[in-house]
Amino acid sequence: MSARGVEDARARGKTVLVLHGPNLNLLGRREPDVYGPLTLDQINERLHALAAEIGVELEIFQSNVEGELVDRIQEAAGVTHAIVINPAAYTHTSIAIRDAIVAVGLPVIEVHLSNIHRREKFRRRSLISDVAVGQITGFGADSYLLGLRAAVRVIANSRSRSLKTRRPLKARRPA
Ligand code: CA2
């Protein structure tokens, strides 16, 4: 096994939560030039296949409702090891999702299908990116797969502290 394989083996059996924000349930039906041809179910199938290959447990949740995404982030505390989130339009508006991420203190990878930095000005600002471990943007459905791989790497490299005793991240000041 490669050094990276040995490293990633530490993430085996750990749980990653994938969250999809509003309107992503419409994928594949409209705007394929911007968001790609795959439906959300097809993206989820690819995520499940990769998770099985790597040996991590996967939970996937989509909602068009901000509060439901906040609830799901809160419920992840103590049971999930990392979160991969495409907050969709809430990326640019949601202090509630940002606050929930800070509150649970779990490592978060922010992903986007399109490159938000090449689009309209209002999409270039993310309220999530400075409380996330990192952002993967512009690789279509592969952004999610790269996000899952990044989450596994973060889990593997984190010290084996109990999830329950993990202290929340310190909120950083937005620019
Ligand atoms: O590029 C991304 O992944 C986005 O998070 C997608 C959001 C957008 O608001 C963000 O700025 C960037 C939009 C998701 C809506 O998806 C649709 C899919 C098909 C048809 C219409 C919308």
Side-chain angles (χ1 to χ4, degrees), residues 105-122:
L106 290 168
V108 168
I109 318 294
E110 176 187 352
V111 302
H112 298 283
L113 296 154
S114 62
N115 181 347
I116 60 171
H117 304 289
R118 291 183 64 177
R119 301 187 62 194
E120 304 96 320
K121 197 172 173 202
F122 68 86

Side-chain angles (χ1 to χ4, degrees), residues 12-166:
R12 280 197 174 270
K14 299 287 196 313
T15 303
V16 177
L17 172 65
V18 176
L19 292 176
H20 303 289
N23 296 311
L24 288 166
N25 53 313
L26 299 176
L27 282 176
R29 284 175 240 160
R30 292 198 197 136
E31 300 193 61
D33 43 325
V34 183
Y35 298 120
L38 299 185
T39 64
L40 195 59
D41 282 349
Q42 289 170 328
I43 291 176
N44 290 342
E45 273 170 31
R46 289 180 184 204
L47 281 166
H48 278 299
L50 179 60
E53 190 189 303
I54 301 173
V56 292
E57 299 293 321
L58 200 61
E59 286 177 26
I60 302 183
F61 179 74
Q62 188 276 330
S63 180
N64 295 328
V65 180
E66 186 177 23
E68 289 184 1
L69 293 164
V70 169
D71 284 346
R72 204 58 197 77
I73 293 167
Q74 288 185 12
E75 287 160 18
V79 290
T80 299
H81 297 83
I83 298 174
V84 174
I85 184 169
N86 182 349
Y90 290 140
T91 306
H92 320 295
T93 62
S94 181
I95 297 169
I97 291 177
R98 176 195 170 87
D99 285 349
I101 289 170
V102 173
V104 297
L106 290 168
V108 168
I109 318 294
E110 176 187 352
V111 302
H112 298 283
L113 296 154
S114 62
N115 181 347
I116 60 171
H117 304 289
R118 291 183 64 177
R119 301 187 62 194
E120 304 96 320
K121 197 172 173 202
F122 68 86
R123 292 189 204 275
R124 292 182 210 149
R125 183 184 75 145
S126 167
L127 296 188
I128 309 302
S129 58
D130 69 318
V131 295
V133 179
Q135 183 191 66
I136 299 169
T137 186
F139 297 96
D142 283 344
S143 292
Y144 282 98
L145 302 174
L146 292 166
L148 179 55
R149 286 192 186 278
V152 165
R153 189 61 43 84
V154 169
I155 293 168
N157 289 335
S158 68
R159 281 174 293 142
S160 53
R161 280 186 296 152
S162 152
L163 284 170
K164 291 220 165 80
T165 59
R166 201 184 291 271

